[in-house]
Amino acid sequence: MNQKNNDVYDSDEGIGVESPHWKAGPFQIRLPFVHYRFEWPDYAQGLFMCVVDLGAIPLMTEALGMPFEVALAVVILNGLLYLIHHMLGDPVVPGWITPAIPLLMVYVQGFDEGPERVWALISFQLMLGIFSIFLGVTGLATKVVRIVPSGLRAGIVLGAGLAAIISVFQAGGRFHEFPITITVAVFVAFFLMYSKQFAQLRQKAVGWRIIASLGILPAILVAVFVAPIVGETSWPKIEWGFSSPDFITLWNEYTVFGLGFPPMMMFITAIPTVLAAYIVVFGDILQSDAVLKEADHIRTDEAVVYNPSRAHMLFGGRNMIMSLIGPDIAMCGPLWAAMHVVIVERYKQGKRAMQSIFGGTGSFRWGTNTGLWLLPIVTFVEPILAVGLALTLIIQGFVSCRVGIMEAKNQKDLGIAGITAGVLATQGAAWGFAAGILMLVALYGKDMFKDVRDGTLRKLDEIDRGEGHADTPTELTGSVEDSDEEDSNESPKPLK
């Protein structure tokens, strides 16, 4: 394997120079301190954002009757597999298949609790893994992404966003348990990430820039104190030492090595749920690429290329492995949308803030893995597990709606996207997909695969500098030019 660091890519493959790596077939191996700078702010975020990873524990306890320590073992194993994405060339923060969790919960709870229910989960996750790997190895994943009409693409991403928001605010949702804490945490997170007022403060003082570099960690820390003050939870009871996951019980009572292989009929009955879950995964694939492309014209120093086929092989492989050694009700998805956006937003601030996107995503996931083992951190954030999950879902909803709308090419696409998203969020992924196809056939007929722009929506690089809009190219690139002044003699490529 040869180290590769001088390949310059054109605009179709990312703008700039590819970061150092070792080539290994379809994968690109990157190791911390060898190929990328370790980003301590993202590592610190990860230490406390393991609160969201821990949010899978009550899901597994509810669905499978799994004890806390056994569920913690599943979370830790899944956490280790998160690392393979950035280490093998996938420039995203991987996560769960969040919108599909309700679908899977309903499916597995249709079986008797005990071995039969565990088998149902094993067969589903193994089938999803095999299907995803097949699409990745054959290259069909990339073709599937490209062939889907823009109106349907927009609807799927938008629908995933609406489903995430609905899950927080619906009757019995997390908002009704922590209304004040979630409101305060969301306000702090969005103010730090998207406020023009805070962007101006960031330019004036180093302290504000340090806070900005922490992403949504300040919002999590605020929630830890706000929740008990307003009486929505108790104060954290800090315990010292290390976590105690129960791998032995997991192995004996929840894997194929202890229970045996599921009956063949379970694989057949899992097929409809697998296809429905993949529709949601497809939306994550679209969103991963779209969010990364938003940084292309700001960070022109690094070519960041998202390869759907490689991503399919990685998250498909994770699902296969976890189905055998620790079946997970949250599943292994290609994207943690909220944290992916947080990392990319920091990446946009320039090389001084984050040298490489792989440094940001990798350091964050090293942090979450560390946090899962540290009992003081686990017990510190345990009272607000639901708040951390709600915060990431709301950020995911915000970004999915924004990115989904921008996938549309014209006003008809916007209408199709709205109907597709509404049906998907309320009736499920399969019905949403069917509604979108029906609308495409009705409105476009045989021309449904042609993307036709009508000027309603334009990307950033299509907007003239003289036009007035919310975030001007100068505002977006100014901080990058300032922060990179000492790191590079090259200025970012000017926008049109």
Side-chain angles (χ1 to χ4, degrees):
M1 296 183 292
N2 297 321
Q3 184 162 328
K4 185 177 180 181
N5 55 14
N6 295 317
D7 296 335
V8 179
Y9 284 78
D10 59 29
S11 59
D12 291 333
E13 298 179 307
I15 300 172
V17 180
E18 192 174 37
S19 61
H21 64 272
W22 293 324
K23 187 72 175 174
F27 305 109
Q28 299 175 344
I29 300 175
R30 290 179 174 87
L31 303 177
F33 304 108
V34 176
H35 298 107
Y36 63 81
R37 184 180 77 190
F38 203 78
E39 303 292 348
W40 293 105
D42 298 299
Y43 178 79
Q45 279 197 87
L47 284 174
F48 290 92
M49 288 307 294
C50 70
V51 62
V52 178
D53 290 345
L54 292 169
I57 292 177
L59 297 175
M60 287 183 278
T61 300
E62 177 185 346
L64 304 176
M66 188 179 282
F68 182 93
E69 291 77 12
V70 177
L72 177 61
V74 175
V75 171
I76 288 175
L77 290 173
N78 197 9
L80 290 172
L81 292 177
Y82 284 140
L83 295 170
I84 69 173
H85 278 258
H86 85 278
M87 294 179 73
L88 293 181
D90 193 32
V92 303
V93 179
W96 306 339
I97 309 179
T98 310
I101 292 175
L103 298 175
L104 183 55
M105 292 277 284
V106 170
Y107 172 69
V108 299
Q109 287 176 340
F111 297 86
D112 293 334
E113 186 171 337
E116 189 175 355
R117 187 172 294 184
V118 177
W119 275 337
L121 178 57
I122 291 173
S123 57
F124 164 84
Q125 197 165 13
L126 184 57
M127 287 280 288
L128 179 62
I130 292 172
F131 181 62
S132 301
I133 292 174
F134 171 76
L135 292 178
V137 171
T138 59
L140 291 175
T142 303
K143 295 178 182 178
V144 167
V145 171
R146 290 177 178 173
I147 200 174
V148 174
S150 56
L152 185 57
R153 289 201 307 267
I156 292 172
V157 177
L158 182 60
L162 294 178
I165 296 171
I166 290 171
S167 70
V168 175
F169 293 98
Q170 66 186 353
R174 296 167 187 85
F175 179 78
H176 301 287
E177 186 180 356
F178 298 90
I180 298 175
T181 307
I182 290 176
T183 300
V184 172
V186 169
F187 178 85
V188 172
F190 277 79
F191 179 78
L192 296 180
M193 289 175 60
Y194 295 110
S195 167
K196 295 181 71 174
Q197 289 79 7
F198 184 74
Q200 294 170 355
L201 289 174
R202 195 175 63 207
Q203 300 302 316
K204 294 179 180 178
V206 175
W208 294 118
R209 286 197 288 274
I210 292 174
I211 292 175
S213 71
L214 297 175
I216 64 174
L217 176 57
I220 292 294
L221 296 178
V222 167
V224 170
F225 293 96
V226 169
I229 288 174
V230 300
E232 292 179 347
T233 188
S234 59
W235 288 97
K237 296 179 180 179
I238 308 299
E239 299 178 23
W240 301 97
F242 297 96
S243 302
S244 302
D246 188 351
F247 292 104
I248 295 177
T249 303
L250 172 64
W251 184 269
N252 292 331
E253 299 182 17
Y254 294 92
T255 71
V256 295
F257 303 100
L259 297 177
F261 218 66
M264 187 57 62
M265 181 56 65
M266 283 196 168
F267 290 94
I268 297 174
T269 58
I271 291 176
T273 311
V274 168
L275 295 177
Y278 181 76
I279 293 172
V280 176
V281 171
F282 177 76
D284 284 344
I285 294 293
L286 295 175
Q287 189 168 323
S288 300
D289 193 25
V291 172
L292 286 169
K293 283 181 177 177
E294 288 183 347
D296 271 353
H297 290 282
I298 300 172
R299 285 297 299 270
T300 58
D301 55 291
E302 180 180 19
V304 179
V305 183
Y306 183 74
N307 186 320
S309 294
R310 179 169 55 212
H312 274 71
M313 286 186 275
L314 292 175
F315 75 78
R318 284 168 50 219
N319 275 298
M320 277 192 65
I321 293 171
M322 288 302 295
S323 71
L324 299 175
I325 66 173
D328 187 358
I329 201 74
M331 297 162 281
C332 302
L335 178 71
W336 181 352
M339 286 312 306
H340 181 53
V341 171
V342 170
I343 298 297
V344 171
E345 288 297 321
R346 253 187 32 83
Y347 177 66
K348 289 178 182 178
Q349 295 174 21
K351 289 180 68 177
R352 181 174 297 179
M354 186 186 297
Q355 188 177 66
S356 168
I357 190 69
F358 294 98
T361 58
S363 300
F364 174 79
R365 272 310 181 188
W366 284 113
T368 57
N369 274 274
T370 306
L372 291 173
W373 283 101
L374 300 179
L375 198 55
I377 290 179
V378 172
T379 53
F380 180 67
V381 298
E382 188 174 2
I384 60 154
L385 287 177
V387 177
L389 182 56
L391 178 60
T392 60
L393 287 170
I394 292 171
I395 295 174
Q396 176 180 331
F398 173 83
V399 175
S400 295
C401 290
R402 175 168 59 85
V403 172
I405 288 173
M406 292 308 297
E407 284 290 325
K409 306 303 181 187
N410 54 61
Q411 293 184 24
K412 286 183 179 179
D413 280 357
L414 286 173
I416 293 171
I419 291 177
T420 302
V423 176
L424 187 148
T426 58
Q427 303 300 317
W431 281 105
F433 198 79
I437 293 175
L438 188 63
M439 291 296 296
L440 286 167
V441 173
L443 271 64
Y444 290 115
K446 64 180 181 180
D447 295 327
M448 61 187 291
F449 295 103
K450 295 180 180 178
D451 288 342
V452 180
R453 292 182 178 273
D454 64 0
T456 300
L457 297 167
R458 290 179 292 168
K459 295 182 179 179
L460 185 59
D461 59 344
E462 298 173 327
I463 300 175
D464 187 84
R465 282 182 176 273
E467 294 186 49
H469 47 91
D471 296 300
T472 65
T474 303
E475 288 171 336
L476 287 170
T477 59
S479 61
V480 178
E481 291 170 354
D482 293 341
S483 63
D484 288 352
E485 207 169 30
E486 299 175 11
D487 296 313
S488 175
N489 295 324
E490 254 184 62
S491 298
K493 183 178 177 181
L495 304 178
K496 297 178 182 177

